[in-house]
Amino acid sequence: MNRKEYKMKKTIVIASLIILLFGCVSSRVTKSGKSFDPNLILDETSDTIIVKNGEKFQFILHGNYTTGYSWILSDDYDKSLIKLTDRNYEVTRKNVSGSPGVETFFWKALKNGKTTISLIYKRSWEKEEIDAKKVKYDIVIEK
């Protein structure tokens, strides 16, 4: 295992422990029929997340805000269907300058329907989106 793989696995373990400390949420299903594990880091992934009405869900994305990059949430999701209840950025190595981290987005499903959450990882002051990471989650809220 090389150093980069070790750091990735360590980040995943730390993020999983953080989520476990804040409480577990019930399981969800993706469009592929697999269980959606809210403890997974979903960097550079697009998928469908199926949740129940009233259920809370979350996802985690890698980031390094010391570089000026951050996850920018598009404002075009249907706010009558889902609500962003919180977002939290946690540095993975607190004593290391320039250390990367993970950002957790906490949501609540408000009523049945479908919407899409889109995020882009870029510097907020840059107009062009060259080499920007983008993720998109189709959210399906069921009874």
Side-chain angles (χ1 to χ4, degrees), residues 64-70 122-125:
N64 189 341
Y65 286 15
T66 64
T67 62
Y69 283 87
S70 63
K122 69 181 214 74
R123 293 180 173 125
S124 61
W125 63 87

Side-chain angles (χ1 to χ4, degrees), residues 83-119:
K83 177 182 180 181
L84 179 65
T85 58
D86 197 11
R87 68 190 279 181
N88 180 43
Y89 180 77
E90 183 79 26
V91 176
T92 53
R93 297 180 70 196
K94 295 186 189 306
N95 297 331
V96 179
S97 180
S99 179
V102 292
E103 185 162 9
T104 307
F105 293 81
F106 298 90
W107 300 85
K108 183 172 183 179
L110 302 175
K111 65 180 183 179
N112 297 353
K114 296 178 185 180
T115 190
T116 300
I117 299 170
S118 300
L119 298 106

Side-chain angles (χ1 to χ4, degrees), residues 24-109:
C24 297
V25 295
S26 58
S27 65
R28 281 154 293 289
V29 179
T30 64
K31 67 180 171 188
S32 58
K34 298 177 186 171
S35 289
F36 171 70
D37 181 354
N39 299 326
L40 291 178
I41 295 178
L42 300 173
D43 212 13
E44 300 181 271
T45 302
S46 295
D47 208 338
T48 299
I49 301 171
I50 302 172
V51 296
K52 293 183 179 181
N53 189 356
E55 185 176 40
K56 294 179 182 179
F57 64 100
Q58 62 213 26
F59 53 83
I60 303 169
L61 299 169
H62 282 290
N64 189 341
Y65 286 15
T66 64
T67 62
Y69 283 87
S70 63
W71 284 105
I72 299 169
L73 176 64
S74 175
D75 200 34
D76 60 356
Y77 64 92
D78 188 338
K79 292 164 195 60
S80 72
L81 298 179
I82 57 175
K83 177 182 180 181
L84 179 65
T85 58
D86 197 11
R87 68 190 279 181
N88 180 43
Y89 180 77
E90 183 79 26
V91 176
T92 53
R93 297 180 70 196
K94 295 186 189 306
N95 297 331
V96 179
S97 180
S99 179
V102 292
E103 185 162 9
T104 307
F105 293 81
F106 298 90
W107 300 85
K108 183 172 183 179

Side-chain angles (χ1 to χ4, degrees), residues 129-142:
E129 297 175 4
I130 299 171
D131 297 327
K133 295 180 196 175
K134 297 177 183 180
V135 295
K136 181 172 79 169
Y137 302 107
D138 294 319
I139 309 299
V140 178
I141 302 109
E142 301 177 337

Side-chain angles (χ1 to χ4, degrees), residues 12-26:
I12 291 171
V13 169
I14 290 170
S16 297
L17 290 173
I18 290 168
I19 290 174
L20 288 174
L21 288 173
F22 290 103
C24 297
V25 295
S26 58

